[in-house]
Amino acid sequence: AALRRTDVILEVGPGTGNLTVKMLEKVKKVIACEIDPRLVGELQKRVQGTCLANKLEIKVGDVLKTDLPFFDACVANLPYQISSPFVFKLLLHRPFFRCAILMFQREFALRLVAKPGTKLYCRLSINTQLLARVDHLMKVGKNNFRPPPKVESSVVRIEPKNPPPPINFQEWDGLVRIAFVRKNKTLSAAFKSSAVEQLLDHNYRIHCSLHNATVLKNTGYSEKRARSMDIDDFIRLLHGFNSEGIHFS
């Protein structure tokens, strides 16, 4: 994380504070978000009466339901069940932070960094890579934990793109969602689905059903498959739809 003395760090799921204490020794402040009141008590007890106590702020509650504070970096051994929603909460957070160093379940981490054409490439991959640079830093075997979990883990570095790409993310995600429902199908097949109509802008439903095939053909993506398309491909496709008055938000 390359922590600095002036840093404010966001930690999610501090538990009993093993990582928290190490960071408190190096930074200006740690804001720890913990949902379990018993663990909050343990954490408070651990720093009570020490010089670290006034550098720790604890927020009790569900991090997904609360507004994130200002922070320079996020460093956390994340509760794995909130991995996906937390990543996007982070990436859409403003003001920008420098980086996030997070531990995830191995397969989730590999999906974050997957490239077009690979087996694990999915909506999560392209959405994350649109908004951030993502690097797989290291594997963490299950025997490093007590008790050992059933899954392997990985540490990932996420660095938001600042400035972000000039794209309406809601609309981008609407298009990507359609394309990746059946990522091995051609886009022309995916857009013939009756469910697609319901996702499109209400005002353009009839228009869309008539023009989807034309847009796909004109942009050259009719026979392409989502699994092999990169960010630039989806930006061109979204622009093609938008220029015909078709929207996905």
Side-chain angles (χ1 to χ4, degrees), residues 114-175:
K115 298 300 176 198
T118 61
K119 187 181 173 186
L120 290 176
Y121 187 64
C122 61
R123 182 170 147 239
L124 174 71
S125 319
I126 194 165
N127 278 353
T128 308
Q129 291 167 33
L130 173 76
L131 299 173
R133 177 185 166 178
V134 195
D135 297 298
H136 183 282
L137 298 184
M138 63 179 175
K139 297 176 179 178
V140 183
K142 58 180 95 169
N143 292 326
N144 289 288
F145 299 90
R146 283 197 306 272
K150 291 178 180 174
V151 296
E152 302 286 342
S153 301
S154 281
V155 178
V156 169
R157 177 188 173 90
I158 298 174
E159 193 176 321
K161 291 179 181 174
N162 186 7
I167 287 171
N168 177 325
F169 182 73
Q170 256 189 319
E171 196 168 346
W172 161 274
D173 188 48
L175 171 62

Side-chain angles (χ1 to χ4, degrees), residues 178 191 193-202 205-206 208-209 212:
I178 292 168
F191 274 83
S193 157
S194 58
V196 167
E197 235 182 58
Q198 296 166 23
L199 290 171
L200 298 177
D201 187 336
H202 179 73
R205 278 189 191 163
I206 295 168
C208 289
S209 61
N212 281 341

Side-chain angles (χ1 to χ4, degrees), residues 21 26 30 36 43 49 68 87 115 165 171 185 249:
V21 169
K26 292 180 176 291
V30 173
D36 187 337
L43 187 53
L68 296 181
V87 165
K115 298 300 176 198
E171 196 168 346
K185 277 189 172 184
S249 55

Side-chain angles (χ1 to χ4, degrees), residues 93-105:
H93 175 68
R94 300 292 180 271
F96 282 98
F97 55 95
R98 188 171 72 245
C99 72
I101 307 292
L102 303 169
M103 182 140 62
F104 295 115
Q105 187 172 327

Side-chain angles (χ1 to χ4, degrees), residues 38-81:
R38 292 169 304 169
L39 291 173
V40 170
E42 290 295 317
L43 187 53
Q44 285 171 328
K45 218 185 293 177
R46 187 161 183 172
V47 297
Q48 213 168 13
T50 73
C51 59
L52 303 177
N54 62 355
K55 296 166 77 176
L56 175 65
E57 179 184 336
I58 302 175
K59 286 187 173 291
V60 187
D62 184 345
V63 71
L64 296 179
K65 293 177 182 171
T66 54
D67 292 333
L68 296 181
F70 166 84
F71 60 94
D72 297 293
C74 177
V75 182
N77 175 14
L78 209 64
Y80 291 172
Q81 68 273 21

